[in-house]
Each structure stands twice: as structure tokens, then as C-alpha cells.
Amino acid sequence: MKKFVFCILVFAFAQICTSNLFSQGYEIKVKIKNLHNDTLILGHHFNKSMYPDDTLIVNKNGNGVFKKKKSLPGGMYLILLPTKNYFDILLSDNQTFSIENDTCNFLKNMKVTGSLDNQLFYDYQRLIVDKRDEAKSLQVKREQAKTPEEKTSYANQLKAIDQEVKNFRTKVLTENPNLFFTKFIKAVTEIEVPDFPRDAKGKVTDSTFQYRYYRSHYFDNFDVSDPRFLRTPFYEDKVKTYIEKVVPQVPDTLIPEVDMLIEKSRTSNELFRYMLVTMFNHFAASQIMGMDAVLVHIAEKYYIPEATWSDTSFISKLKKQIARIKPNLIGSIAPNIMMMNLPDDHFIKAKTDTALRSNVYAGNPVYLHNIKAKFLVMIFWEATCSHCQKAMPVMYDVYKKIRDKGGEVMAINILGGIEGKKKWVDYVNEHGLYGWMNVWNPYDFSFKDKYDIYSTPVIYVLDENKKIIAKRINPEQVEDIINFELKKKKNN
């Protein structure tokens, strides 16, 4: 018995759930024993949520009909009782059939007429439940068996049960290849991964074989292009598991996989919209360094030219956002900027010299691309930022560890004007942040757009050619990244 309370969700692709793809209509006759003059709701699954599509009031005998002139999109639906219990049904091309059930033990009491999809759906569920109960009993007996012969006998019986279920599944798949139920059963069946290849002595010869097999056959049983699966509880989990856990989290590897999923979703406008929005939102929210490259790809190739459901103001903002992000992708050459570099003695003298402390014209111009260093760490910060106040001393400790490895730090104060200068001088002196490059540009803040600085602190790590090798990381990660790059160079 299942229980559910409907919830109303508002999201970017809500219309996916209510669009009608067919025109011949539906007529689902329902008879619920022990239900009198009460309301039933016909709804559909959409990932982890459920949405209402129709209602009816059964008569005193528990009879009623869900009926409309437009068919419902195919998928996994449910009929919700006043008790908040529900049972599932499958809808595809044939949407004219009859159901009889009770207010309890839906699986046992379910009778379907006129829908082979649902007849097989419930036959299969009943078989699974019966065989599961048999298996539990045999497992207990096997554990209590006193002789090896008895244990073997029960083990063989368990294998026979498993084979019986597999035989039923195979029979259904063979005899009914075009039914939605057939595709549904395949979709919820995990692929079987062969054992590792071994040599004559039994030693594994390819330790990556099972992963590669699983990845390449991940969608063998699951038709990601079938829009009916969108209205099931498992579609999004299947897709996101592939993107998040099966495919290596490397932009160059992820991009073709995202392309594959989006292109396969073009079988319906609703599925395409769902897939595009899901992929876009996933990578927009990703906290993994470098995933903005995937976001830029999705936005430029699909979202900006094809997301016709988005209003023009959103698309306009997105274009500007992508224009800010794109120059700063991992692997790109960092945009060249000019900053004013203030030497240590300027800060030290400004402790007691109020005129120097307020002087916004001090310093010497320095261009990013002219700085000679094996690694250049750029940290954008401001003295009034609480996060910066915690990060800067940590960054300074890291600086002392990396400077002998060819590392340089450009600490870029983003506060401008006289008051910004005073706060900057005071913080540098208070924490003794001497030795690295203390820079700013008091009246030109175009660097914030070039490096997409909308909060602080923000850290970039560049190599000797000013190529971005890391960004938006914590100070503690900087040394690890530099050590990794040094080790990689040594091995090459």
C-alpha cells in the first residue's frame, strides 16, 4: 500500500507535466470496492513528485470514469484514494480500459480489462512479491540447515526462483516488444556487467574493464529518448547518476555526453526542454572547479539559440553572464590587466604618515602578463570582507611555502577611493602582509568584469604562460595544486 499527499511545485518546465501529446482522448473506468460517493484523483509521476490531472466522484457502488477528449502523455500514473493511498497504472497509446480494485491490498485485488500493459504490469509485480516471500523463507531455512547437502539444496532453490523471474521477464520482452510495459521493465533492470578478463593463471588483465563496460552500456536497457519515461519516478535519477557518477568529472569528457543526452531528447519538445533545463541548472549550480566550461557550452550551443520558452530579459542576462565567464575558463590565457603595485615601504611609512595613507596615486604600474613567475596566484579581496579577513592570513602562510617553488602572489585590493586606501593600508600593516605584490586600481574596476568578480575572496592560479590552471579555490588548496603541477612537469 502506498501513501502520498499532493504538493504543488512551480518550476521552469512545469508545462511539461500538463502538455497533451495525443488527441484521441482517454476513458478509464474505475470500480473501487468499499468506496462510496467519494473522490478519486488521477495523477502522474514526474521524477520524485506527483501531479494531478483529473478527478471524479464515484457513485455509491464505487464506480466512476476518468474521461476527456485529449489523451494524456504516456507514462506512469496513479489513482489516489481519499485515504491518501494510491496505486500505479501505465498509460501509453491505449487509454481506454477498465480497473477494479479495493481500498486495501491494491496489488492482490487489482483487475484490469482492456490494457495488456497494465495486466502484465500487475502480473509482474505479483510474481516479484510472491517470489520474494518464497526466497525469504528459503534463506531462513538455508541459514538453519545442518548439513552441506541441505544448504546446497536451498541455494539451488533460490537460484531457481531467480531464474523463474528472469524467464518471465524474457518471455514478456520477446512476446511483447512494442509494449510500454516491456520498455518499462527493461528500464528498471540494471545491465549485467561481465567479470574482469583474466589470463590463464586467473590474473585480471584489465582492471578498468568493468567500469568501461558499465559506462558504454549504461543506457542499453533505458531509452533516454522516450518521453514517457519523463513521467516516472526514475528518469532524472538515471540521467543524473550517469552525469554525476559514471562519467569522469572532466569538462572535455562531459561535454560530448551532455550533447548526446540533449540530442536524444529531441524526440519531443517537452523532453528536449526538460533535458536542456536540467543539464543547464545542474552545471550552473556545480561546485566542481572547471564545470563552468560545460555551462558555457550548453548556453552557447543550446540555451541561448533554442530556449524559446525563456523571456528575452533572461536570455540577455545569460549572454552577459557567459561573456564574463568564457574568458576565464580553465586552460584559457588569463586576461591581461594593469594594476598599481605598492611596495612594502609605502605601507610601513603610511602607518604614521596620514598623507601617504590617503594617497591614491602612489605605486608603479604593472601588467599581469609581464610578471615573471612559474606560478602566479591572484587573490581578489577587500579589507572589509569578513571572509577575506579570515582568508588573507592563510593565503600569506601559503605564500611563504610556495615562493621557493617559483610561486608569486598578486593580492588585488578591490576597494577604491581614499577610504578604500586607508582600510587597505591598515589591514596590510596589521597582518604584516609584506613581500608579495600588493596591488590595486583605485578608479578603474574593469578587471572585475574580466575576472567575473561578484564576491570576495576569489583566487586564480596561473602557470608561467599565464594560463589559468585553477580558480575559485580555497587558500589551502593552492599549495596542493602547485605541487601537483610541479610533479606533472617532472613526470613529463
Side-chain angles (χ1 to χ4, degrees):
M1 190 178 296
K2 302 176 181 178
K3 293 188 176 182
F4 173 73
V5 178
F6 276 108
C7 60
I8 303 300
L9 299 180
V10 179
F11 55 111
F13 37 85
Q15 292 180 351
I16 295 174
C17 303
T18 57
S19 299
N20 291 309
L21 301 182
F22 307 100
S23 58
Q24 69 267 30
Y26 65 88
E27 183 176 336
I28 305 171
K29 295 179 181 179
V30 181
K31 181 176 181 179
I32 307 296
K33 186 180 179 181
N34 297 323
L35 192 66
H36 315 288
N37 303 315
D38 219 329
T39 302
L40 297 180
I41 299 176
L42 175 66
H44 67 270
H45 292 268
F46 191 90
N47 294 320
K48 300 302 181 184
S49 302
M50 303 180 191
Y51 299 85
D53 294 287
D54 200 357
T55 61
L56 66 81
I57 299 177
V58 298
N59 62 21
K60 62 181 181 180
N61 297 317
N63 294 313
V65 182
F66 291 108
K67 184 176 181 179
K68 283 188 179 177
K69 292 182 179 180
K70 287 187 177 181
S71 293
L72 292 163
M76 189 177 187
Y77 284 69
L78 65 141
I79 293 179
L80 181 72
L81 277 63
T83 57
K84 305 305 179 186
N85 300 323
Y86 70 91
F87 57 87
D88 293 315
I89 58 174
L90 300 179
L91 287 185
S92 189
D93 296 340
N94 173 28
Q95 299 188 6
T96 301
F97 55 92
S98 301
I99 294 171
E100 290 186 35
N101 215 324
D102 204 333
T103 54
C104 62
N105 204 333
F106 295 145
L107 187 59
K108 178 181 178 181
N109 296 318
M110 182 69 157
K111 296 179 182 178
V112 182
T113 305
S115 172
L116 185 56
D117 269 319
N118 285 291
Q119 290 170 14
L120 292 172
F121 182 45
Y122 275 89
D123 286 346
Y124 182 70
Q125 291 185 78
R126 283 190 281 260
L127 175 67
I128 293 295
V129 170
D130 289 345
K131 297 306 173 184
R132 182 188 62 197
D133 291 342
E134 284 184 39
K136 284 183 178 179
S137 176
L138 287 170
Q139 286 168 350
V140 171
K141 291 179 180 179
R142 184 179 62 176
E143 290 172 1
Q144 296 174 346
K146 297 180 180 179
T147 67
E149 291 77 14
E150 285 182 303
K151 288 183 180 291
T152 301
S153 175
Y154 290 130
N156 289 336
Q157 291 179 63
L158 286 168
K159 289 180 182 179
I161 289 175
D162 184 58
Q163 190 60 49
E164 188 176 348
V165 173
K166 288 182 178 180
N167 290 343
F168 178 88
R169 186 186 297 120
T170 301
K171 184 173 183 292
V172 169
L173 297 180
T174 303
E175 295 179 355
N176 307 279
N178 298 318
L179 283 183
F180 178 44
F181 167 74
T182 302
K183 296 191 73 173
F184 184 91
I185 290 301
K186 286 186 66 177
V188 296
T189 303
E190 281 288 344
I191 60 169
E192 294 185 7
V193 180
D195 190 13
F196 291 106
R198 300 175 185 273
D199 61 20
K201 296 181 178 180
K203 183 179 179 181
V204 172
T205 57
D206 184 356
S207 61
T208 66
F209 169 78
Q210 288 192 322
Y211 162 72
R212 290 186 292 102
Y213 184 95
Y214 183 71
R215 178 180 166 185
S216 62
H217 293 271
Y218 184 84
F219 289 112
D220 281 4
N221 291 340
F222 185 92
D223 186 356
V224 72
S225 67
D226 191 332
R228 293 174 297 186
F229 289 135
L230 194 57
R231 294 163 186 85
T232 65
F234 52 78
Y235 188 92
E236 184 169 290
D237 276 351
K238 188 75 175 179
V239 170
K240 282 197 170 182
T241 297
Y242 184 69
I243 287 296
E244 294 175 4
K245 298 179 180 179
V246 178
V247 180
Q249 299 300 289
V250 179
D252 288 346
T253 305
L254 281 163
I255 285 172
E257 300 296 344
V258 168
D259 283 345
M260 177 273 292
L261 290 169
I262 293 177
E263 292 302 330
K264 282 183 177 293
S265 74
R266 291 187 184 277
T267 51
S268 79
N269 291 333
E270 290 80 9
L271 186 59
F272 173 73
R273 175 174 173 172
Y274 163 80
M275 186 67 76
L276 178 51
V277 170
T278 298
M279 292 294 104
F280 179 86
N281 287 342
H282 172 73
F283 289 102
S286 177
Q287 298 300 307
I288 301 175
M289 185 176 66
M291 290 302 108
D292 51 356
V294 188
L295 178 67
V296 168
H297 174 80
I298 294 171
E300 289 188 330
K301 185 173 181 178
Y302 301 104
Y303 210 100
I304 292 172
E306 297 193 64
T308 54
W309 56 84
S310 292
D311 59 51
T312 54
S313 63
F314 177 80
I315 295 298
S316 178
K317 290 178 182 177
L318 179 59
K319 288 179 180 178
K320 292 178 181 178
Q321 180 187 9
I322 296 304
R324 284 167 63 104
I325 296 173
K326 193 172 181 180
N328 304 304
L329 299 179
I330 301 294
S332 300
I333 299 299
N336 198 13
I337 55 175
M338 188 280 287
M339 307 299 290
M340 298 302 293
N341 183 26
L342 276 66
D344 293 343
D345 64 347
H346 177 90
F347 290 92
I348 295 170
K349 291 177 182 178
K351 285 183 182 181
T352 55
D353 188 332
T354 56
L356 203 59
R357 182 167 172 261
S358 302
N359 183 3
V360 297
Y361 300 106
N364 300 307
V366 59
Y367 287 86
L368 176 72
H369 285 192
N370 291 339
I371 298 172
K372 303 297 182 183
K374 287 184 179 179
F375 301 98
L376 178 62
V377 180
M378 304 167 66
I379 181 165
F380 298 84
W381 72 290
E382 53 187 87
T384 56
C385 160
S386 60
H387 295 292
C388 299
Q389 290 167 1
K390 294 177 182 178
M392 292 305 287
V394 178
M395 185 69 251
Y396 191 71
D397 287 339
V398 172
Y399 163 69
K400 289 185 287 187
K401 296 177 183 178
I402 65 171
R403 60 188 173 186
D404 292 336
K405 301 175 183 179
E408 178 61 89
V409 172
M410 177 185 273
I412 304 171
N413 166 46
I414 71 170
L415 289 178
I418 294 174
E419 291 305 312
K421 173 71 182 305
K422 292 178 181 179
K423 291 180 174 65
W424 180 30
V425 167
D426 292 345
Y427 189 91
V428 169
N429 284 326
E430 180 183 351
H431 294 275
L433 304 182
Y434 309 129
W436 64 18
M437 299 177 66
N438 285 301
V439 306
W440 76 331
N441 199 325
Y443 297 113
D444 180 2
F445 299 100
S446 59
F447 65 87
K448 294 172 68 175
D449 286 333
K450 290 181 179 179
Y451 283 91
D452 193 27
I453 306 301
Y454 50 84
S455 64
T456 52
V458 174
I459 293 175
Y460 281 74
V461 182
L462 316 182
D463 70 7
E464 59 187 334
N465 299 313
K466 304 302 179 286
K467 184 177 73 174
I468 299 170
I469 57 176
K471 65 177 184 176
R472 300 190 179 279
I473 58 175
N474 297 322
E476 296 89 346
Q477 296 172 288
V478 170
E479 185 181 12
D480 290 338
I481 288 170
I482 289 177
N483 288 340
F484 174 79
E485 292 294 323
L486 290 171
K487 184 177 179 181
K488 187 168 65 174
K489 286 182 179 180
K490 183 178 179 181
N491 291 338
N492 289 340

